């Protein structure tokens, strides 16, 4: 359970309630890790980044339903935009 963060620590760091984190998990936006011998919900770095994205989108007044749609249709970063080199040294953004 290395590099996993407890729900209480995330709640304090981002000034959100544990209930909000559980709600995001219930809505399928986050996933926690739990083992049989450890009752706490634990979150990895990917889920922390996802939570940060959710919080930004919520500050922009984007609804949870719309955030679900965004994450459902979003491509992974590795298949998104990439920079292609040109002989002149300038580059253009090209979709994937």
């Amino acid at each position: 359970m290395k590099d996993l963060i407890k729900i209480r620590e995330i709640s304090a760091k981002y000034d959100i309630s544990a209930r909000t984190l559980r709600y995001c998990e219930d809505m399928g936006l986050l996933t926690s890790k739990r083992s049989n011998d450890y009752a706490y919900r634990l979150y990895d770095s990917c889920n922390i980044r996802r939570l940060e994205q959710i919080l930004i989108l919520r500050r922009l007044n984007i609804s949870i339903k719309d955030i679900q749609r965004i994450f459902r249709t979003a491509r992974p970063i590795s298949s998104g935009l990439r920079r292609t080199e040109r002989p002149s040294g300038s580059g253009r953004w090209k979709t994937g």
Side-chain angles (χ1 to χ4, degrees):
M1 292 205 242
K2 191 177 179 182
D3 297 332
L4 296 175
I5 303 170
K6 291 182 189 177
I7 191 170
R8 181 178 1 134
E9 294 168 6
I10 295 169
S11 178
K13 180 177 179 178
Y14 292 98
D15 194 30
I16 57 174
S17 68
R19 184 176 183 202
T20 298
L21 285 165
R22 288 190 296 271
Y23 177 75
C24 287
E25 192 170 341
D26 291 343
M27 297 304 289
L29 296 171
L30 298 174
T31 55
S32 64
K33 314 258 188 236
R34 288 188 249 181
S35 69
N36 294 335
D37 58 332
Y38 203 71
Y40 294 105
R41 292 172 192 246
L42 301 167
Y43 297 90
D44 61 15
S45 61
C46 291
N47 277 286
I48 300 300
R49 281 192 302 274
R50 171 71 62 102
L51 174 64
E52 290 169 348
Q53 293 170 343
I54 292 166
L55 294 174
I56 290 167
L57 293 170
R58 289 298 297 140
R59 285 191 189 112
L60 295 171
N61 291 322
I62 297 174
S63 72
I64 292 294
K65 292 288 183 190
D66 287 339
I67 293 171
Q68 285 176 313
R69 284 187 207 109
I70 289 167
F71 289 145
R72 221 181 1 249
T73 59
R75 291 187 286 174
I77 292 172
S78 62
S79 67
L81 298 175
R82 67 179 187 276
R83 191 166 180 99
T84 57
E85 291 302 318
R86 303 264 174 176
S88 65
S90 66
R92 296 234 171 182
W93 292 102
K94 194 175 191 179
T95 56

